[in-house]
Amino acid sequence: MGFIKKKFLIVVLSIMGVLLLSFGLASLNGSAENNISPPPKSAEIQMLEKIEVKLVGKYKIGTYSINTHVDNNSKDIDIDVLGSQEYYDSVKHEIKDVVRNLIRSTKFEKYKVNVKKGEIRQMITEEELERNNLLVEIAKKINNELSNAYPNKIDGGVDMRIPPPEDPQELIVEVSTLLDGEKQVDIGKEIERTIYTTLEKKLASNKLLKESTVKIYIYNKNKEKIKTSL
């Protein structure tokens, strides 16, 4: 996938601090429909929200994400802590205990919890913050669209990666699915097409997209890349 000196992994909500947004469904005249309910939140979104409540504000948290790595089939919850080495050493065990308590008796109970000293500098530039916010916007929109269109076919959230600002701009989107059998290629193409449509029609003003080459990879239930060839 061409890679990348520094990774920012994103699942559902976050890179450098999570942004939580609520989207309502409205009728054409702008008023909410009482008989329409928003789609249920995935387990990943719900867990990230719980992590946000417990950690953000109390600790100096950089990124946090739930990740499934298709190359080695490992599953992790990654928490990056900002600040000095002394601060990191003083809170890392406490943060790990908090997250372990949150995931107990859930589908994430066997996930490995990694609390690391964040690679992000304690002070980030306005350019980096802008890139961060733009990537959060992209990730949230893609996850919402896929959750609505394929509620039983997506295995967790979407992983997104970008290189640091000084490298050629490339946006990599990886989607782990539960697809299997003869129709996986056709459905994989549909998922990839949905992502491209979302990027073109619903994120046309996103500056990061305008400056980036987008690559999309769809994986089946066996963590094998589906040859969508779109």
Side-chain angles (χ1 to χ4, degrees), residues 133-217:
N133 292 336
L134 292 170
L135 190 57
V136 169
E137 179 188 22
I138 297 168
K140 282 187 60 61
K141 183 63 70 174
I142 291 175
N143 274 287
N144 287 339
E145 294 296 319
L146 295 185
S147 295
N148 292 338
Y150 309 96
N152 301 315
K153 294 182 174 65
I154 305 301
D155 184 17
V158 175
D159 289 345
M160 298 183 63
R161 306 176 186 177
I162 55 172
E166 62 271 16
D167 290 354
Q169 197 70 355
E170 187 174 73
L171 174 64
I172 296 174
V173 181
E174 295 184 311
V175 183
S176 296
T177 74
L178 300 173
L179 298 177
D180 194 15
E182 295 180 357
K183 295 184 178 180
Q184 63 177 298
V185 173
D186 291 337
I187 300 175
K189 288 181 179 179
E190 290 180 14
I191 292 173
E192 186 170 356
R193 192 174 295 111
T194 297
I195 295 173
Y196 277 123
T197 299
T198 300
L199 297 179
E200 292 172 2
K201 294 186 176 181
K202 299 191 176 183
L203 289 161
S205 62
N206 188 288
K207 180 181 176 182
L208 185 60
L209 280 177
K210 293 179 179 179
E211 298 174 350
S212 302
T213 299
V214 178
K215 294 185 178 180
I216 299 174
Y217 301 96

Side-chain angles (χ1 to χ4, degrees), residues 1 184 216-220 223-228:
M1 300 180 194
Q184 63 177 298
I216 299 174
Y217 301 96
I218 313 294
Y219 297 89
N220 64 18
K223 313 305 179 187
E224 300 165 338
K225 186 165 66 176
I226 298 173
K227 297 181 180 180
T228 53

Side-chain angles (χ1 to χ4, degrees), residues 121-139:
R121 297 182 301 278
Q122 192 167 3
M123 296 297 292
I124 64 175
T125 66
E126 289 186 7
E127 179 184 2
E128 289 170 327
L129 182 59
E130 180 186 28
R131 280 161 52 88
N132 175 44
N133 292 336
L134 292 170
L135 190 57
V136 169
E137 179 188 22
I138 297 168

Side-chain angles (χ1 to χ4, degrees), residues 25-33 36:
L25 296 177
S27 64
L28 292 178
N29 63 8
S31 61
E33 294 280 3
I36 298 178

Side-chain angles (χ1 to χ4, degrees), residues 1-25:
M1 300 180 194
F3 284 31
I4 294 172
K5 299 176 182 176
K6 186 192 301 181
K7 290 182 182 177
F8 295 99
L9 296 181
I10 219 176
V11 174
V12 184
L13 293 180
S14 169
I15 52 175
M16 303 173 194
V18 167
L19 288 180
L20 295 175
L21 304 177
S22 298
F23 298 95
L25 296 177

